[in-house]
């Protein structure tokens, strides 16, 4: 396997918590511009994989490379985010006391040091960008309300909006449609496909309709390693996958 | 050589039989006493002193020490000799031989038997030899150690005799050491001295060191070299004992820290709550001890030795009860807000302090020590006070009891479950509010028990708890939460570290250094030595 | 421009600043120019007392910047206050010159008493006011920077952080008690004579110090307001509410906290510097951990996470303390303890929060529907 041309390259990654192997010799490669859906039963290690990529958890062994040559295990969360990896959490995490607009403002791509933030004056370009995103995530009417007042689904949207504002090279999206109606799910799929035109994306989701809607290559994780990989039809007809999902 | 040995032997035999030969009856002693009443100068007094000593009677000791202290008087009216104790303008007299009271006398009616420093020295010297023959082994032992400190070659015969007649092994060894010291200042031959050096080297304490160093300075040649070697040997062994002493002090301090901190560790570990009123729980325990002792003094003075045993459960109930009230009345409304809990419990601590100050007054209260806590004993060159030893043992007992509760009882199981994952525990049907209340009461109760023990080594005042609270925090933070062994090791490490830094840096600077070290340590391991891991903890 | 923004966007802050500036003028006038028998005369001791309260208010405001806005509960802010105070005290000591008891022109009395022969190096420069003024900010700022740099980088948070800030001030307390530190041991620094050439005892100087404290507090309010209102301020609150989320957005949360912590320590140092000439003494007692916790309660009572709250809280609690210690000294600790409990249990948002609620309730009575909506979305300050 060659690393160049890949946006994300995991090889032989393992991590254990107090002896429990959450990720076990996991290898996964994502090409530039690719969108990948990851499925797997609860506790398969999907979120933990994202923790490893974003620097929250250090792997015990294995290689994690971003953009062909950057060793992610040597960097912390903030550095990794600055390199261009954005993340949406499984449990929507937004700044509840801030308005919707301020949530986006803090996510907006750009300088991340203290003094520029202290003397920041909003520019026309920034305002336009925020307006655009508010339009996309359909929260324009609530821009000045605290995020705490949003519904679960709206928070999901807001978090996706924050991802857009960050404009990363690689997006890690953990269960984006949990708690959404069918119509919203469909909208989200459309939005993600739009994003995937210009970005690399990994989506974790349990909702198979949504995964089918995305229509991309699927990886099924189980007990911390790849169980099966291919089109959704291929994966879902794989006996081992069926066994894992239905229980033995 | 042969001759010398024979002579020594002969003298020894004579001396050994001296006490029985010279055994004078009471009348003889009284006659000597009368002579004391008529002496006109110090020489005469001295000769009487020597004659008295020659009788070897145990009663002579009392007379001589009274004389040395200037407490021996002669009644003008009848030339009777008495020991006197000043009592205002009059003196209460007693018989110098058997100590029976003999009425009082006005100061004008009696004269003091005069002593000067030379005479006091003579008395001290003869008394050393005299007490060698005492029936009480502890007296003989102290006589031997006095003679070791002030070796006198003329005492050699008496020492030899005493060694020959001694049955108690410890006293015998001490006598041999005293003899060795005397040999070093005598004109005896090299072989004798070499043996003496070996004996002293074996003793290996600072007294032996002093004798050997003096000898080394005064002698030359091979003997001086041997002495030098022994001095070096003693110095190393004394350094080792010094380390041991520091370790003991450290363990003792560590136990105090552990006692104070362990309740805190439990509440912090299980509930994630810093109880700033923890120190006041300790204080309540100490005051409970005080009240229990007052009651015992008033109603059942015989039970005083049991006062601590009675105070223990009382303190547990008082502090535990107050803890329960705090938890039910306040803390349970503040779960999930650890910083606010910290502030609210600080408020409680202020109120408790002031309440105790209002009830008992701001001054220190006198908490007595039962007889079995008093005194000290010697272990090699370690001096160990009983109170410290009991506290260390008590601390270990409390610790092991807690470990047992946590590891072996169902409450402990529930507490550990809540520590590791509160939400999961709750969904498994564990009533977390109950666990919290119980934990808090237990932690507070343990603090109360700690107060009973700490009342023995510290002044009991309303600020009692404040002295411990920051140190307790340091122990908990250093040891890590959710693990009793972490607290144990944390407390002992900090105790020993403190005591090892003290000689170099002084007590205050040592403490500052420890604080700084902990602050730095927390940077390395933000959750202490033994930290719990896992998502539930990180969240 | 700032003034326009101030008046258009935040009336309450504007009123506070205006009040402080007015007090800086009016109180000295009432003290100095109005005759003593007049009802409007403000006695000198009231001026000194009020000046002290203003210093406390600035300290509380400094604490609020890190606790209310960034969630760092520092139990060691008294240390920064005391360090600022010591820096000022050292300047005042040098101004005594040869007028000490021992009449030594080169050494302060306590050094003569300790038989020291020359001034320790760290006392050099304190003859100059500008140098002392610099140190008032630099020393607390540097300590906070170093401490924070270690603590925040290794992600010490929550009660752990609180406890080690407490350990920090405790260690300083022990250190300053030592005579050989060269700061006067447990007597501290006192018997000041002059400040900038004016006698510290004179009513004119006292009035001037009061006015200066008021202006300093007004500046503190302005700076805090500007910081909190900036994008950085939003970031600060974001770190308070969801620290790890800010990291995943690429922000260095440790630097965010470090800046606030250092700035706050400098503000606390300035408060200490104004405090010392007004009370005439600085001693190690100021490092007592209990003092630092008391500052927390001023802030909590007033309302943390607001700018006016800590000021209101500091003045209210200290006024109560002055009254209690005069009238019912026995009861003060009960009252203070009760305040700690009551304000955490019943007044999580302090007096200012209560005021807001009351205003809202009035509004609700007027326009019921609108008021309810506002109440629902009202943000809750996180822990
Ligand atoms: N920090 C941690 N400490 C301890 N165990 C952890 C930690 N992080 C993850 N785990 C464990 O690793 C396993 C994998 O968790 P992970 O959250 O990655 O699963 P998942 O595939 O995202 O599941 P789900 O579909 O439910 O979100 C779980 O058993 C979890 O308990
Ligand atoms: Mg997951």
């Amino acid at each position: 396997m060659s690393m160049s041309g890949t946006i994300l390259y995991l090889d032989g990654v393992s991590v254990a918590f107090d002896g429990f192997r959450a990720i076990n010799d996991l290898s996964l490669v994502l090409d530039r511009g690719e969108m990948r859906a990851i499925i797997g039963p609860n506790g398969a290690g999907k979120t933990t994989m994202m923790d490893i990529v974003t620097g929250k958890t250090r792997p015990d062994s294995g290689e994690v490379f971003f953009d062909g040559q950057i060793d992610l295990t040597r960097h912390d969360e903030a550095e990794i985010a600055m390199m261009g990896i954005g993340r949406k959490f499984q449990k929507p995490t937004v700044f509840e006391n801030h308005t919707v607009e301020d949530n986006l403002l803090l996510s907006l791509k750009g300088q991340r040091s203290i003094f520029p933030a202290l003397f920041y004056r909003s520019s026309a370009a920034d305002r336009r960008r925020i307006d655009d995103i508010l339009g996309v995530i359909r929260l324009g009417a609530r821009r000045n309300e605290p995020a705490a007042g949003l519904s679960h689904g709206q928070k999901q949207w807001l978090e996706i909006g924050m991802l857009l504002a960050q404009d990363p090279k690689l997006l890690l999206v953990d269960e984006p449609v949990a708690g959404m109606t069918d119509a919203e799910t469909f909208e989200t799929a459309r939005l993600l496909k739009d994003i995937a035109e210009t970005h690399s994306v990994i989506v974790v989701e349990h909702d198979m309709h949504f995964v089918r809607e995305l229509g991309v290559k699927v990886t099924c994780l189980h007990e911390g390693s790849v169980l099966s990989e291919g089109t959704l039809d291929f994966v879902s007809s794989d006996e081992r996958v069926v066994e894992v999902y239905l229980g033995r | 050589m042969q001759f010398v040995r024979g002579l020594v032997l002969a003298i020894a035999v004579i001396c050994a039989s001296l006490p029985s030969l010279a055994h004078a009856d009471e009348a003889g002693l009284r006659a000597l006493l009368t002579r004391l009443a008529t002496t006109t100068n110090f020489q005469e007094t001295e000769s009487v002193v020597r004659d008295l000593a020659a009788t070897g009677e145990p009663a002579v000791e009392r007379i001589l020490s009274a004389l040395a202290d200037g407490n021996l008087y002669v009644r003008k009216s009848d030339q009777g000799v008495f020991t006197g104790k000043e009592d205002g303008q009059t003196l209460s007299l007693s018989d110098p031989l058997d100590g029976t009271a003999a009425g009082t006398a006005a100061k004008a009616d009696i004269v003091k038997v005069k002593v000067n420093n030379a005479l006091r020295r003579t008395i001290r010297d003869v008394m050393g030899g005299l007490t060698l023959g005492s029936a009480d082994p502890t007296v003989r032992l102290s006589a031997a150690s006095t003679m070791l400190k002030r070796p006198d070659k003329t005492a050699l015969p008496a020492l030899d005799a005493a060694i020959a007649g001694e049955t108690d092994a410890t006293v015998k060894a001490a006598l041999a050491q005293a003899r060795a010291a005397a040999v070093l200042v005598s004109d005896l031959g090299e072989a004798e001295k070499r043996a003496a050096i070996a004996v002293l080297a074996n003793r290996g304490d600072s007294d032996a060191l002093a004798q050997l160093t003096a000898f080394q300075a005064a002698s030359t040649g091979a003997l001086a070299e041997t002495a030098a070697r022994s001095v070096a040997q003693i110095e190393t062994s004394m350094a080792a004992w010094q380390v041991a002493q520091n370790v003991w002090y450290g363990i003792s301090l560590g136990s105090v820290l552990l006692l104070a901190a362990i309740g805190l560790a439990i509440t912090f570990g299980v509930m994630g709550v810093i109880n700033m009123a923890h120190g006041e729980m300790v204080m309540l325990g100490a005051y409970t001890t005080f009240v229990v002792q007052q009651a015992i003094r008033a109603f059942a003075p015989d039970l005083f030795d049991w006062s601590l045993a009675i105070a223990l459960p009382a303190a547990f109930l008082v502090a535990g009860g107050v803890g329960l009230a705090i938890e039910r009345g306040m803390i349970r409304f503040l779960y999930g807000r650890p910083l606010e809990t910290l502030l609210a419990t600080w408020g409680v601590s202020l109120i408790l302090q002031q309440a105790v100050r209002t009830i008992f007054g701001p001054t220190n209260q006198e908490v007595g020590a039962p007889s079995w806590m008093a005194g000290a004993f010697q272990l090699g060159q370690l001096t160990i006070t009983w109170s410290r030893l009991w506290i260390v043992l008590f601390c270990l007992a409390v610790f092991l009891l807690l470990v047992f509760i946590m590891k072996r009882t169902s409450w402990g199981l529930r507490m550990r479950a809540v520590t590791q994952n509160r939400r999961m525990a709750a969904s498994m049907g564990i009533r977390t509010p109950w666990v919290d209340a119980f934990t808090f009461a237990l932690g507070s109760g343990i603090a109360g028990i700690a107060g009973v023990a700490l009342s023995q080594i510290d002044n009991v005042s309303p600020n009692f708890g404040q002295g411990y609270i920051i140190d307790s925090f340091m122990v908990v933070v250093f040891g890590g939460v959710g693990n009793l062994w972490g607290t144990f090791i944390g407390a002992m490490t900090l105790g020993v570290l403190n005591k090892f830094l003290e000689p170099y840096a002084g007590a205050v600077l040592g403490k500052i250094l420890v604080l700084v070290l902990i602050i730095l340590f927390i940077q390395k391991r933000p959750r202490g030595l033994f930290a719990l891991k896992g998502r539930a903890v990180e969240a | 421009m700032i003034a326009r923004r101030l008046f258009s966007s935040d009336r309450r802050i504007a009123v506070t600043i205006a009040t402080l500036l007015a007090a800086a003028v009016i109180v000295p006038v009432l003290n100095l120019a109005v005759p003593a028998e007049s009802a409007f005369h403000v006695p000198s001791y009231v001026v000194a007392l009020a000046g002290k309260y203003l210093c406390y208010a600035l300290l509380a405001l400094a604490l609020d910047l890190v606790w209310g806005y960034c969630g760092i509960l520092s139990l060691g802010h008294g240390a920064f206050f005391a360090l600022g105070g010591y820096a000022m005290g050292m300047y005042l000591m040098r101004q005594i010159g040869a007028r000490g008891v021992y009449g030594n022109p080169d050494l302060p009395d306590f050094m003569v008493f300790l038989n020291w022969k020359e001034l320790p190096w760290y006392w050099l420069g304190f003859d100059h006011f500008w140098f002392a003024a610099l140190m008032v900010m630099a020393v607390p700022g540097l300590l906070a920077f170093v401490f924070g740099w270690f603590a925040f980088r290794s992600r010490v948070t929550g009660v752990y952080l609180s406890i080690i800030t407490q350990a920090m001030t405790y260690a300083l307390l022990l250190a300053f008690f030592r005579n050989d530190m060269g700061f006067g041991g447990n007597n501290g620094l006192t018997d000041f004579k002059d400040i900038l050439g004016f006698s510290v005892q004179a009513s004119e100087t006292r009035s001037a110090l009061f006015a200066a404290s008021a202006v300093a507090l007004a500046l503190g309010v302005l700076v805090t307001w500007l910081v909190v209102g900036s994008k950085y301020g939003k970031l600060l609150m974001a770190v308070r509410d969801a620290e790890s989320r800010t990291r995943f957005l690429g922000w260095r949360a440790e630097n965010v906290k470090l800046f606030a912590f250092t700035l706050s320590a400098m503000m606390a140092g300035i408060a200490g510097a104004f405090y010392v000439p007004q009370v005439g003494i600085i001693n190690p007692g100021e490092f007592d951990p209990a003092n630092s916790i008391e500052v927390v309660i001023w802030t909590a009572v007033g309302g943390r996470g607001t700018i006016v709250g800590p000021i209101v809280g500091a003045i209210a609690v200290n006024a109560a303390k002055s009254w209690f210690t005069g009238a019912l000294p026995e009861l003060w600790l009960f009252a203070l303890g009760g305040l700690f409990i009551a304000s955490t249990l019943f007044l999580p948002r302090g007096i200012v929060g209560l005021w807001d609620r009351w205003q809202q309730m009035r509004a609700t009575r007027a326009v019921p529907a609108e008021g309810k909506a506002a109440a629902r979305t009202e943000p809750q300050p996180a822990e």
Side-chain angles (χ1 to χ4, degrees), chain A residues 54-56 76-79 81-82 85-89 93-98 102-103 105-108 111-115 117-121 142 145-146 149 159 162-163 166, chain C residues 1 5 155 226-228 230-257 259-260 263 376-382:
Chain A
T54 52
K56 182 169 181 229
D76 67 6
E77 298 100 312
E79 281 167 352
M82 281 306 281
I85 298 185
R87 173 170 186 188
K88 184 204 134 343
F89 288 81
T93 342
V94 295
F95 303 119
E96 310 246 327
N97 285 327
H98 283 311
D102 285 345
N103 267 284
L105 176 67
L106 289 177
S107 316
L108 218 49
Q111 274 273 13
R112 286 291 193 256
S113 24
I114 302 301
F115 289 96
L118 202 53
F119 301 108
Y120 172 84
R121 327 236 71 225
R142 313 195 60 164
E145 285 177 27
E159 223 187 340
M162 288 162 77
L163 258 184
Q166 248 182 300
Chain C
M1 191 197 69
R5 224 175 97 201
R155 303 193 186 175
L226 286 174
V227 167
V228 167
S230 70
K231 184 177 171 189
Y232 167 79
K234 289 172 181 161
L235 186 56
L236 198 60
M237 290 178 256
V239 168
R240 173 191 70 191
D241 297 339
E243 178 173 337
S244 78
R245 190 70 182 92
T246 59
R247 291 183 199 278
F248 290 109
L249 288 176
W251 295 103
R252 298 220 144 269
E254 56 272 28
N255 293 351
V256 175
K257 294 197 219 175
F259 178 80
L263 178 65
R376 193 169 53 82
T377 55
E378 172 185 301
Q380 292 290 317

Side-chain angles (χ1 to χ4, degrees), chain A residues 17 20 22 40-48 90 175 206, chain B residues 534-535 538:
Chain A
F17 300 106
F20 170 76
N42 295 119
K46 305 180 294 289
T47 303
T48 309
Q90 179 166 357
E175 306 201 7
H206 288 293
Chain B
R535 259 185 202 173
E538 279 158 25

Side-chain angles (χ1 to χ4, degrees), chain B residues 229-428:
Chain B
R229 260 202 308 282
S230 301
V231 165
Q233 183 193 332
I234 292 181
E235 272 167 354
T236 351
S237 92
M238 272 176 63
W241 279 110
Q242 187 58 46
V243 170
Q245 184 85 55
N246 275 340
V247 170
W248 167 249
Y249 286 152
I251 289 176
S252 152
L253 176 64
S255 311
V256 170
L257 292 178
L258 182 58
L259 269 178
I262 196 158
L264 196 67
I266 295 177
T267 42
F268 188 35
V270 177
M271 304 158 70
V273 156
I274 279 280
N275 177 14
M276 292 294 253
H278 184 79
E280 277 56 47
M281 300 296 152
V282 178
M283 173 198 71
L284 285 183
Y287 271 92
T288 309
T289 317
F290 169 69
V291 171
V292 167
Q293 288 197 346
Q294 288 302 93
I296 288 182
R297 280 203 183 96
F299 302 112
D302 307 342
L303 287 181
F304 193 77
D305 271 357
W306 292 92
S307 61
L308 294 191
I310 299 169
L312 278 183
F316 185 84
L317 289 181
V318 169
V322 172
L324 192 66
I326 297 174
E327 204 279 339
R328 287 288 89 187
M330 193 180 84
I331 293 180
R332 72 182 163 123
F333 302 112
L334 293 172
Y335 280 125
R337 291 151 75 190
L339 298 181
E340 306 205 326
T341 314
L342 187 154
L343 294 179
T345 50
W346 174 260
V348 173
S349 99
L350 292 183
I351 290 176
L352 287 176
Q353 272 178 51
Q354 185 59 39
V356 167
R357 196 173 288 127
T358 308
I359 299 172
F360 295 94
T363 49
N364 290 347
Q365 297 295 352
E366 152 86 17
V367 172
S371 57
W372 45 269
M373 292 277 277
F377 66 95
Q378 202 74 22
L379 185 79
Q381 292 179 27
L382 291 186
T383 312
I384 293 177
T385 54
W386 280 108
S387 57
R388 289 284 174 168
L389 182 66
W390 280 117
I391 284 181
V392 171
L393 293 179
F394 177 69
C395 160
L396 285 180
V398 170
F399 176 73
L400 292 178
L401 181 73
L402 274 181
V403 170
F404 176 79
I405 291 181
M406 293 300 267
K407 289 260 151 88
R408 293 270 183 275
T409 65
S410 71
W411 268 112
L413 183 65
R414 281 176 230 182
M415 272 156 73
R416 277 184 295 143
V418 175
T419 310
Q420 276 162 22
N421 194 334
R422 174 171 288 272
R423 284 232 306 276
M424 181 65 111
S427 61
M428 304 255 302

Side-chain angles (χ1 to χ4, degrees), chain C residues 10-319:
Chain C
D10 209 330
R11 283 266 302 288
R12 194 176 281 170
I13 304 295
V15 169
T16 310
I17 293 180
T19 312
L20 285 168
L21 294 181
V25 175
I26 294 170
V27 171
V29 167
L30 293 183
N31 173 239
L32 298 173
V34 175
E37 49 283 355
S38 160
F40 292 104
H41 176 76
V42 176
S44 288
Y45 82 90
V46 174
V47 175
L49 201 62
K52 204 171 92 171
Y53 291 171
L54 292 183
C55 297
Y56 286 152
L58 183 54
L59 173 59
L61 181 63
L63 177 77
D64 189 43
L65 178 62
V66 288
W67 184 35
Y69 290 98
C70 193
I72 303 168
L73 176 55
S74 162
L75 297 182
H77 253 53
F80 303 129
F81 181 79
L83 286 173
Y86 264 97
M88 178 54 87
M90 285 160 80
Y91 162 75
L92 295 171
M93 283 311 265
R94 300 306 289 144
Q95 294 308 296
I96 297 175
R99 284 170 294 174
V101 179
Y102 295 107
N104 187 319
D106 301 322
L107 294 182
D109 274 350
F110 71 88
M111 292 190 192
V112 181
F113 183 75
L114 289 175
N115 240 328
W116 289 17
K117 293 296 170 241
E118 58 181 313
L119 208 61
W121 60 267
Y122 45 83
W123 274 75
L124 297 177
F126 278 94
D127 311 63
H128 310 290
F129 184 78
W130 64 265
F131 183 79
L134 191 68
M135 287 300 128
V136 159
M137 292 183 280
V139 173
L142 189 68
L143 174 65
F145 184 83
V146 172
F147 186 90
W149 194 76
F150 279 117
F152 300 142
R153 209 183 40 140
S154 34
R155 303 193 186 175
V156 182
T157 54
V159 282
Y160 283 92
L161 188 71
S162 302
I163 295 300
I164 63 167
T165 53
Q166 188 177 40
M168 175 192 78
T169 187
Y170 185 57
L172 283 168
L173 169 75
L174 294 178
F176 273 75
F177 263 123
R178 289 161 48 89
N179 275 328
D180 35 1
M181 276 287 282
F183 296 108
N186 56 358
N187 297 322
L189 311 175
T190 185
D191 289 333
F192 308 133
K193 305 274 193 258
D194 296 344
I195 177 165
L196 289 169
F198 303 100
S199 160
V200 285
Q201 304 296 342
S203 341
E204 290 82 4
T205 320
R206 290 185 169 276
S207 282
L209 283 169
F210 170 85
S213 309
V215 172
L217 180 57
L219 275 176
V221 169
L222 187 67
V223 167
T224 311
W225 177 74
L226 286 174
V227 167
V228 167
S230 70
K231 184 177 171 189
Y232 167 79
K234 289 172 181 161
L235 186 56
L236 198 60
M237 290 178 256
V239 168
R240 173 191 70 191
D241 297 339
E243 178 173 337
S244 78
R245 190 70 182 92
T246 59
R247 291 183 199 278
F248 290 109
L249 288 176
W251 295 103
R252 298 220 144 269
E254 56 272 28
N255 293 351
V256 175
K257 294 197 219 175
L258 188 56
F259 178 80
F261 196 60
T262 309
L263 178 65
S264 162
M266 288 158 105
M267 280 168 62
I270 294 173
F274 280 105
Y275 175 82
V276 167
Q278 299 192 66
V279 297
I281 184 169
I282 174 83
N283 61 26
E286 296 295 336
F287 286 105
D288 189 339
N291 286 3
S292 297
I293 300 189
E294 226 178 289
V295 183
V296 175
I297 210 60
W298 306 338
T299 310
V301 166
R304 68 187 149 111
T306 66
I307 290 178
V308 181
I311 298 173
V312 172
I315 294 176
V317 177
N318 280 294

